[in-house]
């Protein structure tokens, strides 16, 4: 079953890449209803060449909505080195003031620890992108998808140093979520793995 899923996934990725590569000669290769899906698949599985291609398309795009989509796609890469490049790009004027925070948040979906550490290491620049309310919730929220208990102390320290006592709700919720995810990974995943090992044909 796992092999079949991987094969199906590989076919989907290959088809998305084929369509993305063919669009210059065949406008119908990426029809409007499928555009976002195709770009998302391509971006998530991008290599350096593809990432650079999407970046060039984003820089040249004149339609604001499409431009935003393309820069966000750059931040969805599963490859950590490309995710780092997206974070670095977000601190430049190239994506635009509204797109840069979206890029950092998009990186956090796949790489929450990386995004959080990057944001706290460049805090003045990140805060400059945000309005006062967003500053309260944005940085703690980057760690939301983490399941590493060692980031809990970092989020708590950030909240203690940069948030007032009555504006910690997002940080505290993030800490609670990380603890829960870490507990599930520690306690439940071994049970699931053991069940699968005992029931390989189900």
């Amino acid at each position: 079953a796992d092999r079949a899923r991987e094969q199906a996934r590989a076919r989907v990725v290959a088809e998305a890449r084929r369509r993305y590569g063919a669009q210059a000669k065949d406008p119908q290769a990426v029809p409007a209803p499928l555009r976002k899906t195709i770009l998302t698949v391509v971006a998530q599985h991008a290599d350096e060449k593809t990432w650079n291609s999407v970046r060039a398309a984003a820089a040249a795009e004149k339609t604001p909505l499409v431009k935003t989509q393309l820069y966000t796609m750059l931040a969805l890469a599963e490859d950590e080195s490309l995710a780092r490049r997206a974070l670095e790009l977000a601190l430049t004027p190239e994506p635009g003031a509204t797109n840069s925070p979206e890029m950092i948040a998009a990186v956090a979906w796949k790489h929450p620890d990386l995004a959080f550490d990057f944001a706290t290491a460049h805090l003045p620049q990140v805060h400059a992108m945000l309005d006062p309310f967003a500053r309260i919730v944005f940085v703690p929220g980057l760690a939301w998808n983490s399941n590493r208990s060692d980031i809990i102390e970092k989020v708590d320290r950030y909240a203690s140093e940069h948030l007032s006592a009555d504006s910690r709700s997002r940080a505290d919720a993030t800490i609670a979520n990380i603890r829960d995810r870490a507990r599930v990974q520690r306690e439940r995943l071994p049970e699931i793995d053991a069940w699968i090992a005992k029931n390989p044909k189900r």
Side-chain angles (χ1 to χ4, degrees):
D2 289 342
R3 183 178 180 182
R5 281 195 293 269
E6 285 301 315
Q7 290 175 338
R9 183 189 188 200
R11 287 195 296 270
V12 170
V13 173
E15 178 62 10
R17 286 174 170 168
R18 185 195 69 78
R19 287 177 173 272
Y20 178 78
Q23 64 181 328
K25 296 182 179 179
D26 178 14
Q28 298 304 313
V30 183
L34 296 179
R35 178 180 175 81
K36 186 174 182 180
T37 299
I38 291 170
L39 286 176
T40 298
V41 173
V42 169
Q44 287 176 339
H45 301 277
D47 56 16
E48 184 175 7
K49 180 180 178 180
T50 303
W51 196 92
N52 288 335
S53 174
V54 175
R55 179 181 177 181
E61 180 59 50
K62 302 302 182 183
T63 304
L65 179 59
V66 177
K67 193 178 192 74
T68 294
Q69 289 177 343
L70 290 171
Y71 275 113
T72 302
M73 297 305 170
L74 290 173
L76 296 177
E78 293 180 356
D79 184 293
E80 186 172 318
S81 64
L82 296 178
R84 289 183 183 277
R85 287 185 61 185
L87 290 171
E88 293 164 0
L89 180 62
L91 293 187
T92 72
E94 181 183 318
T98 57
N99 292 332
S100 290
E102 292 293 330
M103 291 180 67
I104 297 172
V107 170
W109 280 102
K110 288 286 185 181
H111 307 279
D113 304 88
L114 174 64
F116 180 86
D117 287 344
F118 183 88
T120 53
H122 300 85
L123 203 55
Q125 292 161 281
V126 172
H127 275 180
M129 304 174 185
L130 307 168
D131 62 44
F133 175 76
R135 291 174 189 172
I136 295 173
V137 300
F138 183 81
V139 174
L142 295 174
W144 183 265
N145 283 341
S146 179
N147 55 17
R148 293 180 53 178
S149 57
D150 59 344
I151 203 172
I152 291 174
E153 182 180 347
K154 296 179 182 180
V155 176
D156 185 61
R157 183 167 61 248
Y158 172 83
S160 298
E161 294 176 355
H162 300 284
L163 303 175
S164 63
D166 60 355
S167 62
R168 284 186 53 113
S169 59
R170 178 63 168 174
D172 291 338
T174 297
I175 289 171
N177 189 61
I178 295 169
R179 283 179 174 152
D180 187 60
R181 291 168 64 92
R183 178 187 61 79
V184 168
Q185 185 177 48
R186 182 176 64 253
E187 298 176 4
R188 300 304 178 198
L189 288 185
E191 296 176 1
I192 295 172
D193 290 342
W195 186 90
I196 292 174
K198 291 180 180 179
N199 302 271
K201 295 183 179 180
R202 293 199 178 189

